[in-house]
Amino acid sequence: MGVIRSFKKNFSNFFKKLFNKKNARIGIYGPPNAGKTTLANRIVRDWTGDAMGSVSHIAHETRRARRREGVTIQSNGGSISLDIIDTPGLATKIDFHEFMEQGMNEAESKRRAKEATEGVIEAVKWLENLDGVILVMDATEDPYTQVNVTVIGNMEARSLPLLIVANKVDLPESSPSTIREAFPQHPMVAISALEGKNIETFYDEIAKRFG
Amino acid sequence: MQGIQMDLVSEDRLAKMPPVEKIRFIIDEVKSGKILVLEKGLTPEEEATLIEMTMTQIQPDDFAGIEMESYPSQPDGSLIGKLFKKNVVRTRLTVIGPANKLKTLKKDRDMISALVSNK
């Protein structure tokens, strides 16, 4: 417990130094099904004991941005407060037939597709209102997607801090080194948000990047 | 003759357009079934705007969105860029087409392989 408490203190200190203000907005971005909500849930649960949203294997399960304000971290008698924004998966195309393949009827599939398009719009708009981004990639997939390229490009253009997360390293086919080689100019940490593997290193990397 | 029209758009052609007009031009062309290859490519901000505007155009059974691929942009290392502008990026070629006609097969830092289908 002492190690965790010490680690949390360091984490909060680094964030405090970085943003030097309260309620810094950190967006969690990535393509659908990369594990964004699973990671958001873990962050919020670690610091508040709560959760942010439901997780599903169906793409675009998160169709509205979820904002958890004031995730307060106590440190050395003081505290900092973060806003964690779990965004819908970014995509350039949404075909309602893909929802039908998941067993939904046509009307429901079309409704979900429409909601998904609205979610992508919301996610893009949030890009302009953030203090930093955690970009979640599925370590079992090819990292050179347009979504990843676009998010990274936007953060670079705005000179905002970015941390790449290679998620799902609990799966045997995962290859986080492929992600590291694809975007060597940015820090990357390999984790399993689902199992919590390497999660303390994840927080430590946030601190190093943003501190 | 049946086929798919592919337009190779020069840097000069797009440079003359204001940003909104540029995005509108791209969406209109892609919705009409064309595949565009932009010589200079789009800035990351333009790419985000294009994604956002594309989402407003999606209609079931009509338009499912776009396939877009570009190489990662690179910092502008020129002296002029360093002196007068901050965070200038050099954009590189971008390929954009209707999602039902263009499919990316493979992409890496310097190579895009795409399949064009008329189905």
Side-chain angles (χ1 to χ4, degrees), chain A residues 91-97 110 117 120-121 124-125 142 144-146 149-150 153-154 156-157 159 182-185, chain B residues 44-45 47-49 51-52 54-56 58 60-61 64-73 87 99 107-109:
Chain A
T92 60
K93 56 194 171 195
I94 294 174
D95 187 343
F96 77 92
H97 293 98
K110 287 181 176 176
T117 61
V120 174
I121 292 170
V124 171
K125 288 187 185 303
D142 181 358
Y144 273 111
T145 68
Q146 189 59 41
V149 168
T150 299
N154 272 268
E156 290 175 344
S159 295
F183 303 106
Q185 73 275 32
Chain B
E45 294 95 332
E47 288 174 357
T49 305
I51 292 172
E52 183 181 348
T54 297
M55 290 297 120
T56 68
I58 289 179
D61 296 319
I66 63 173
E67 183 80 20
M68 172 171 64
E69 294 295 350
S70 62
Y71 303 116
S73 55
N87 306 320
K107 176 183 179 182
D108 60 31
R109 180 165 291 276

Side-chain angles (χ1 to χ4, degrees), chain A:
Chain A
M1 280 303 284
V3 173
I4 292 174
R5 202 168 288 140
S6 165
F7 158 75
K8 286 183 175 180
K9 274 184 186 176
N10 288 337
F11 175 70
S12 62
N13 282 337
F14 275 116
F15 257 105
K16 205 169 188 176
K17 274 191 242 168
L18 166 67
F19 297 111
N20 197 27
K21 62 180 181 181
K22 290 186 175 179
N23 294 318
R25 294 179 299 268
I26 307 298
I28 300 177
Y29 275 78
N33 278 347
K36 298 181 295 300
T37 299
T38 303
L39 181 60
N41 282 340
R42 182 164 288 279
I43 295 170
V44 173
R45 195 184 304 123
D46 279 353
W47 300 105
T48 72
D50 227 345
M52 284 192 81
S54 61
V55 175
S56 166
H57 68 283
I58 299 173
H60 300 287
E61 178 65 18
T62 303
R63 299 188 294 284
R64 311 270 5 140
R66 295 186 179 106
R67 179 176 181 173
R68 178 59 189 257
E69 296 184 357
V71 178
T72 303
I73 300 165
Q74 302 291 332
S75 174
N76 292 331
S79 66
I80 62 167
S81 188
L82 304 177
D83 292 351
I84 303 292
I85 296 107
D86 179 25
T87 66
L90 280 181
T92 60
K93 56 194 171 195
I94 294 174
D95 187 343
F96 77 92
H97 293 98
E98 292 177 9
F99 292 109
M100 293 181 72
E101 290 169 6
Q102 299 289 332
M104 295 179 199
N105 63 38
E106 185 172 330
E108 172 70 3
S109 296
K110 287 181 176 176
R111 186 180 66 78
R112 291 203 40 145
K114 181 169 175 24
E115 291 173 356
T117 61
E118 293 167 355
V120 174
I121 292 170
E122 192 177 9
V124 171
K125 288 187 185 303
W126 265 109
L127 268 177
E128 299 172 2
N129 295 292
L130 295 171
D131 300 305
V133 158
I134 296 167
L135 178 56
V136 183
M137 301 184 190
D138 183 336
T140 69
E141 301 283 338
D142 181 358
Y144 273 111
T145 68
Q146 189 59 41
V147 165
N148 292 339
V149 168
T150 299
V151 172
I152 289 173
N154 272 268
M155 291 301 102
E156 290 175 344
R158 291 180 168 88
S159 295
L160 290 175
L162 168 77
L163 175 64
I164 295 173
V165 170
N167 192 26
K168 306 189 184 182
V169 296
D170 53 300
L171 300 178
E173 65 269 32
S174 70
S175 178
S177 60
T178 304
I179 295 175
R180 194 187 301 277
E181 289 163 10
F183 303 106
Q185 73 275 32
H186 294 288
M188 187 276 281
V189 59
I191 69 163
S192 166
L194 184 67
E195 297 185 352
K197 186 175 180 182
N198 224 17
I199 201 70
E200 292 198 0
T201 304
F202 163 66
Y203 290 131
D204 191 44
E205 286 298 321
I206 287 178
K208 285 179 186 170
R209 167 62 173 157
F210 298 151

Side-chain angles (χ1 to χ4, degrees), chain B residues 8-18 22 25 38-41:
Chain B
L8 311 181
V9 186
S10 72
E11 178 180 350
D12 292 344
R13 172 77 183 269
L14 287 184
K16 294 173 184 171
M17 298 181 184
K22 188 189 296 185
F25 164 77
L38 312 183
E39 179 188 20
K40 188 186 178 190

